[in-house]
Amino acid sequence: MHIKNKLPGISISVIVGLAALFLSEHYGAPAMLFALLLGIAMSFLYESTQCKEGIEFTAKHILRVGVGLLGLRIAFGDLAALGWQTALLLVVAITSTIGLGLVLAKALGLQKRFGVLTGGAVGICGASAAMAIAAVLPDCKDKDRNTLLTIVGVTSLSTVAMVLYPIIAEMLNLSPTHTSIFLGGTIHDVAQVVGAGYSVSEQTGDLATVTKLVRVALLMPVVVCILLVLRMNFDKSSEAKPPGIPAFLIAFVVLMTLNSLLNLPEALIEGATEFSRFALVISIAAIGMKSNLQKLLEVGFKPVLLLVLETLWIAGLILVCLPYI
């Protein structure tokens, strides 16, 4: 398809993304949440105008660019900085949360892939993880709806956690190090980890951010595992097709390796990080425009319950294991 056909949809996604960033800066709520809500409000553009092709392109391809560029935020040194005990705890927390998502999804009568999607989003890095995992899951009629539900859920829960978790850490008399690991190891989105950590102290904010970035670094191994499981025909439905290795996954690993081995200019890393953030914001706006609000309201309380239980699980697990670190 010619790029000219995509420009209207891409342009409207960019405009919605800019509006979301403006509202986020002035009202303090997550930009991704504003992008979703504004996108949903403008979903009529996807159904009845020439914007459809560009919105599809933004929701799929620009999304993958944003996820791939996340690799520049992480270096192998971040993994070593925390020590093997903390790294092992984070691996166990992520894998067990995804496993719990699978079990609970089956118990609640939801799709297994929805359990993987929510478990990965809660366990790793919120909306970014949800979009990366959704990008490799088999297509189905409810895929966009499930992705949207997950993003709304983890963003909302992450905002609540940003306020409550520092209070919980103080009530439990956690040490500064344990507070940092608790905040960085349990809050879903990077921005909320930063907000919670630096609300306690600068030292806590620094270590909480590093802990969170280690979780982000584990995103791609999890996506690779999902791809391998899908290739083994984990999902028996006729919709499931063995996927190849997506380019954004390769880009993530390459950029992470470059950031680890080379002393890249700070301006380059900051610029790529900001571009990645903006790409994710406009992609979420496009996903919102693709959504059908009526179908979103029909899903009931089960997806919300699933996300809440996964959130409680990872928080409880980290708290129980902290004395052994």
Side-chain angles (χ1 to χ4, degrees), residues 165-202:
Y165 284 11
I167 298 173
I168 292 173
E170 185 176 356
M171 290 174 59
L172 296 176
N173 293 316
L174 297 181
S175 68
T177 299
H178 284 172
T179 298
S180 302
I181 295 172
F182 172 58
L183 298 179
T186 58
I187 298 177
H188 309 328
D189 286 308
V190 176
Q192 278 74 16
V193 170
V194 172
Y198 286 104
S199 70
V200 177
S201 70
E202 185 173 345

Side-chain angles (χ1 to χ4, degrees), residues 70-177:
L70 288 175
L72 278 177
R73 300 176 63 174
I74 307 154
F76 295 132
D78 295 332
L79 302 176
L82 291 180
W84 69 267
Q85 298 99 328
T86 303
L88 178 61
L89 173 59
L90 295 176
V91 170
V92 171
I94 291 169
T95 54
S96 64
T97 302
I98 295 174
L100 179 69
L102 273 168
V103 172
L104 290 177
K106 183 177 181 181
L108 293 170
L110 301 170
Q111 293 176 328
K112 291 183 291 185
R113 67 187 68 177
F114 187 63
V116 172
L117 183 64
T118 57
V122 170
I124 306 172
C125 54
S128 301
M131 292 188 290
I133 293 171
V136 300
L137 289 176
D139 289 330
C140 69
K141 64 177 182 178
D142 294 328
K143 182 175 179 178
D144 287 333
R145 186 198 69 183
N146 290 342
T147 304
L148 186 65
L149 275 170
T150 303
I151 293 169
V152 171
V154 295
T155 304
S156 302
L157 289 170
S158 188
T159 303
V160 173
M162 179 179 65
V163 177
L164 290 183
Y165 284 11
I167 298 173
I168 292 173
E170 185 176 356
M171 290 174 59
L172 296 176
N173 293 316
L174 297 181
S175 68
T177 299

Side-chain angles (χ1 to χ4, degrees), residues 7-307:
L7 282 178
I10 295 173
S11 299
I12 196 65
S13 299
V14 169
I15 291 170
V16 173
L18 289 171
L21 290 172
F22 175 82
L23 291 171
S24 175
E25 290 175 2
H26 285 75
Y27 295 101
M32 290 188 178
L33 185 57
F34 278 125
L36 270 176
L37 296 176
L38 291 173
I40 291 172
M42 302 183 70
S43 59
F44 64 90
L45 291 172
Y46 178 76
E47 296 294 338
S48 59
T49 71
Q50 59 182 350
C51 295
K52 183 171 184 176
E53 287 185 20
I55 292 171
E56 289 273 8
F57 179 85
T58 303
K60 184 175 182 179
H61 297 289
I62 295 182
L63 160 64
R64 297 184 176 201
V65 171
V67 173
L69 285 173
L70 288 175
L72 278 177
R73 300 176 63 174
I74 307 154
F76 295 132
D78 295 332
L79 302 176
L82 291 180
W84 69 267
Q85 298 99 328
T86 303
L88 178 61
L89 173 59
L90 295 176
V91 170
V92 171
I94 291 169
T95 54
S96 64
T97 302
I98 295 174
L100 179 69
L102 273 168
V103 172
L104 290 177
K106 183 177 181 181
L108 293 170
L110 301 170
Q111 293 176 328
K112 291 183 291 185
R113 67 187 68 177
F114 187 63
V116 172
L117 183 64
T118 57
V122 170
I124 306 172
C125 54
S128 301
M131 292 188 290
I133 293 171
V136 300
L137 289 176
D139 289 330
C140 69
K141 64 177 182 178
D142 294 328
K143 182 175 179 178
D144 287 333
R145 186 198 69 183
N146 290 342
T147 304
L148 186 65
L149 275 170
T150 303
I151 293 169
V152 171
V154 295
T155 304
S156 302
L157 289 170
S158 188
T159 303
V160 173
M162 179 179 65
V163 177
L164 290 183
Y165 284 11
I167 298 173
I168 292 173
E170 185 176 356
M171 290 174 59
L172 296 176
N173 293 316
L174 297 181
S175 68
T177 299
H178 284 172
T179 298
S180 302
I181 295 172
F182 172 58
L183 298 179
T186 58
I187 298 177
H188 309 328
D189 286 308
V190 176
Q192 278 74 16
V193 170
V194 172
Y198 286 104
S199 70
V200 177
S201 70
E202 185 173 345
Q203 177 189 2
T204 299
D206 289 343
L207 185 55
T209 302
V210 172
T211 305
K212 180 62 183 177
L213 289 179
V214 172
R215 288 170 71 195
V216 176
L218 294 171
L219 172 61
M220 287 304 122
V222 169
V223 173
V224 170
C225 289
I226 292 171
L227 283 167
L228 292 174
V229 171
L230 289 173
R231 280 191 167 276
M232 292 187 291
N233 203 22
F234 171 77
D235 190 337
K236 302 295 184 181
S237 72
S238 59
E239 299 169 329
K241 297 178 181 179
I245 299 177
F248 78 86
L249 171 56
I250 298 171
F252 183 99
V253 174
V254 169
L255 291 174
M256 180 178 172
T257 304
L258 288 174
N259 192 34
S260 302
L261 299 178
L262 303 177
N263 187 20
L264 297 176
E266 191 66 28
L268 173 63
I269 295 175
E270 289 181 2
T273 298
E274 287 301 314
F275 185 82
S276 171
R277 176 173 177 252
F278 184 62
L280 292 176
V281 167
I282 66 174
S283 299
I284 291 179
I287 290 172
M289 284 185 271
K290 288 179 64 179
S291 68
N292 185 310
L293 186 58
Q294 184 176 355
K295 290 182 179 179
L296 198 62
L297 295 174
E298 289 174 355
V299 296
F301 76 97
K302 290 182 180 180
V304 177
L305 178 62
L306 176 60
L307 283 162

